[in-house]
Amino acid sequence: MKRALLTLTALALLATTAQARSWDDIKKSGTVRIATEGAFPPFNILKGKELTGFEVELAEGLARQLGLKVQWVTQPFDNLLIGLNQDRYDFVIASHGITPERAKAVDFASPHYCTGGAIVAKPGGPMTAAALAGKKVAVQVGTTYLENVQKVSGVGEVKTFPKDTDAQAALMAGRVDAWVGDKFTGLDLVKAQKGKVMQGALLFNERIGMAVKKGNTGLLKELNSALTKSLSDGSYAKLSGKYFGQDVRCRG
Amino acid sequence: MTARSPRAQPLGGGSLLLWIGGAVLAFLALFFLITVILRQMPDPIGPRADLFVEGARMTLQLTVVSGLIGLVVGMLTGIQKTSASAWVRAPANFFVWLVRGTPLLVQILFVYNALPPLLQSIGIGVQLNEFWSAVIALALNVGAYNAEVIRAGILAIPRGQTEAARSLGLSGAQTMNTVVLPQALRIVVPPLVNNLVALLKDSSLASSIALLELTLAGSRVSSESFQPIPVLTTVAVVYLALTTVMTLFTDQLEKRVKIASR
């Protein structure tokens, strides 16, 4: 009995003593560990071995401003915030829409772009929320698209795939009637598939932010001020123009 | 016939029906129990109890369907592998080599993503859904392992048995059906059960093709609630409950086929 209690206490301690690296620790070590998914073009994508994309370049710019070297970690999307809470990395930049449920688990920085969840389907497929009634829809597991598609009344079956690219493959193979995902990613897919798919209506709008472990206010403050600076000194606008041909920052 | 005589037979039709009926009832009771218990649990689990139960049901369905097909596949391939003719052995050897030498995850992804376009290119327009894709991959996989088990079982029957049967005038097929297979069956039941339990757990890989079974149900809840500890514990316990009830019944099966030989 005593031993069981001891073991339990030890386990409980193990589960709670993990401490997020504070801003001072990160500054001292000179390297920041950033996690992303690497399967979400054009925001974060692994091209061969090289990690690139809008968010990747943005985060590297922020780290440069803060005088830090970057160590990238790529993880499946649904693991990212869980890993953050286990201190596997310092912050996450992976197109996380800021939702109340997520805000309960982690702290979000100011949004670094604004976007929406849009429907993509083959010509003749569902293009509006109303047209999704009774249809099969593919989304990525653990995303805001899943929650928001489930809210559409009358929607048929919602299939969850491990990666967005798998969900898109299911659309291309005709296994589902529509895919719901980020509107910019959708535009990329439309461009890549040359008329085989079309983008439909926006289902919802969302603000995208970087996440730090709950209570890591020091790091959050530094990230926010670096982001504000890049928004005002034109480096953000330049990067956004390069990837999207427009400025994707949140307005108002 | 004395009252004890049924025990001397491997497993009659009536008791087999009883056994299947018992297993069905036990699983129904298990699902009812899981539903009741999970609904009582605190937040990340309780409100989503039905998702877990739905996932568990899909896991069991996958196991039963692909387990049965895999048994037939294994039986045919296993017998083929013991054939004297190299022409009969070769395809079976090729099948086992191919399936046993590649990972199950790759096989599932192959059947789901690569098989439909391949079939289309040779003019067969089938659209395999998630369930049947997973069933095909799992059944072929467990079939290859079953084949080796059944081959070993057949080879374990002493040569003299075959020779005696043939010298009594039985044909090759009759010898197989009435002399060799009934004896081999007793030997192969425990390793076949082993494969079945492994199959139930391997079915978790079907989550990679968006089939909503127990593992995917868990990862949905875990990515919604960011609480991996209670979610993964629940998933593991439900798997354990499924395999426990399953082995409860397969143990009975083992006992029954054993009695006749001891």
Side-chain angles (χ1 to χ4, degrees):
Chain A
M1 186 64 204
K2 212 171 191 182
R3 175 173 274 178
L5 264 178
L6 269 176
T7 319
L8 274 179
T9 327
L11 276 176
L13 280 176
L14 271 179
T16 52
T17 50
Q19 269 287 320
R21 289 207 302 169
S22 71
W23 167 243
D24 291 336
D25 298 335
I26 297 169
K27 185 99 196 161
K28 216 182 290 163
S29 80
T31 306
V32 64
R33 284 172 304 173
I34 317 175
T36 191
E37 187 195 10
F40 196 59
F43 297 98
N44 54 78
I45 179 77
L46 276 164
K47 287 199 172 135
K49 274 186 170 174
E50 190 204 356
L51 188 63
T52 175
F54 173 69
E55 288 186 306
V56 173
E57 286 198 44
L58 179 67
E60 277 171 353
L62 298 184
R64 213 174 307 125
Q65 272 192 49
L66 297 171
L68 296 169
K69 273 192 271 181
V70 177
Q71 189 192 338
W72 283 102
V73 180
T74 51
Q75 286 263 311
F77 185 77
D78 54 341
N79 264 354
L80 281 167
L81 296 188
I82 292 171
L84 181 66
N85 280 335
Q86 292 169 359
D87 303 307
R88 295 175 195 264
Y89 23 79
D90 301 312
F91 74 92
V92 171
I93 181 163
S95 294
H96 280 94
I98 300 170
T99 65
E101 293 81 40
R102 284 175 179 166
K104 267 188 250 163
V106 297
D107 280 341
F108 279 105
S110 327
H112 60 273
Y113 74 94
C114 269
T115 184
I119 304 170
V120 172
K122 290 187 172 175
M127 286 288 154
T128 61
L132 285 182
K135 294 284 196 286
K136 275 191 214 163
V137 185
V139 293
Q140 184 180 3
V141 74
T143 59
T144 49
Y145 314 119
L146 171 60
E147 294 166 36
N148 282 288
V149 170
Q150 279 169 335
K151 275 186 217 151
V152 175
S153 66
V155 68
E157 201 184 340
V158 184
K159 289 189 186 294
T160 49
F161 290 83
K163 284 190 304 230
D164 236 344
T165 39
D166 297 330
Q168 293 165 7
L171 172 68
M172 297 314 299
R175 293 181 182 282
V176 293
D177 301 305
W179 161 66
V180 172
D182 181 82
K183 71 173 179 192
F184 295 114
T185 310
L187 284 177
D188 246 32
L189 182 71
V190 170
K191 220 192 292 168
Q193 296 294 340
K194 296 186 186 74
K196 280 192 221 146
V197 291
M198 290 156 62
Q199 191 163 59
L202 271 186
L203 276 189
F204 61 99
N205 284 303
E206 62 181 354
R207 299 145 71 79
I208 306 296
M210 295 172 275
V212 301
K213 189 175 180 178
K214 194 110 206 140
N216 197 351
T217 44
L219 176 60
L220 194 65
K221 222 179 90 208
E222 295 296 329
L223 282 179
N224 276 337
S225 67
L227 181 62
T228 313
K229 196 157 163 254
S230 86
L231 283 168
S232 60
D233 70 6
S235 53
Y236 180 94
K238 202 172 141 217
L239 193 60
S240 177
K242 173 183 163 189
Y243 277 96
F244 308 105
Q246 57 177 303
D247 197 323
V248 296
R249 78 180 66 191
C250 296
R251 288 162 215 285
Chain B
M1 286 252 161
T2 63
R4 289 186 56 183
S5 64
R7 294 183 70 209
Q9 281 167 8
L11 201 56
S15 60
L16 191 67
L17 267 182
L18 201 69
W19 183 82
I20 293 175
V24 170
L25 277 181
F27 274 111
L28 284 178
L30 176 68
F31 281 120
F32 178 73
L33 198 68
I34 294 176
T35 315
V36 170
I37 294 175
L38 290 187
R39 282 198 181 145
Q40 308 295 318
M41 305 277 277
D43 183 34
I45 311 297
R48 301 178 184 88
D50 292 356
L51 190 65
F52 284 101
V53 176
E54 197 187 312
R57 198 171 291 136
M58 178 58 77
T59 291
L60 185 67
Q61 213 170 315
L62 257 186
T63 310
V64 170
V65 176
S66 44
L68 285 175
I69 302 176
L71 192 64
V72 176
V73 171
M75 195 82 89
L76 294 176
T77 321
I79 294 173
Q80 245 180 304
K81 281 195 79 158
T82 60
S83 164
S85 155
W87 290 107
V88 178
R89 283 199 314 268
N93 282 333
F94 177 76
F95 167 72
V96 171
W97 170 73
L98 193 69
V99 172
R100 212 172 50 168
T102 52
L104 176 57
L105 179 59
V106 175
Q107 290 163 12
I108 291 177
L109 291 173
F110 190 91
V111 171
Y112 184 70
N113 288 322
L115 198 57
L118 281 179
L119 289 177
Q120 215 131 47
S121 66
I122 56 166
I124 308 173
V126 285
Q127 185 64 274
L128 289 169
N129 66 13
E130 288 75 20
F131 181 75
W132 288 106
S133 301
V135 163
I136 290 175
L138 288 168
L140 291 181
N141 188 275
V142 77
Y145 287 93
N146 286 349
E148 287 298 285
V149 164
I150 286 164
R151 180 176 71 102
I154 292 172
L155 292 182
I157 306 305
R159 245 189 114 70
Q161 297 279 325
T162 316
E163 281 162 4
R166 293 308 293 272
S167 68
L168 285 171
L170 295 184
S171 72
Q174 279 174 324
T175 307
M176 195 45 115
N177 285 335
T178 59
V179 178
V180 178
L181 278 186
Q183 297 186 73
L185 194 68
R186 289 173 199 147
I187 301 171
V188 299
V189 165
L192 283 183
V193 166
N194 203 22
N195 285 355
L196 188 69
V197 172
L199 176 68
L200 189 140
K201 295 177 293 176
D202 286 347
S203 71
S204 65
L205 291 173
S207 60
S208 62
I209 56 168
L211 182 65
L212 189 61
E213 40 67 76
L214 188 49
T215 303
L216 185 57
S219 78
R220 270 199 192 181
V221 174
S222 155
S223 61
E224 257 172 53
S225 62
F226 311 106
Q227 296 186 48
I229 301 173
V231 174
L232 287 175
T233 310
T234 307
V235 168
V237 168
V238 175
Y239 270 113
L240 203 55
L242 287 175
T243 51
T244 306
V245 172
M246 186 180 269
T247 40
L248 222 63
F249 279 87
T250 49
D251 282 351
Q252 281 301 314
L253 188 69
E254 280 178 35
K255 261 184 212 146
R256 295 209 168 228
V257 291
K258 235 182 198 166
I259 283 168
S261 64
R262 294 279 154 89

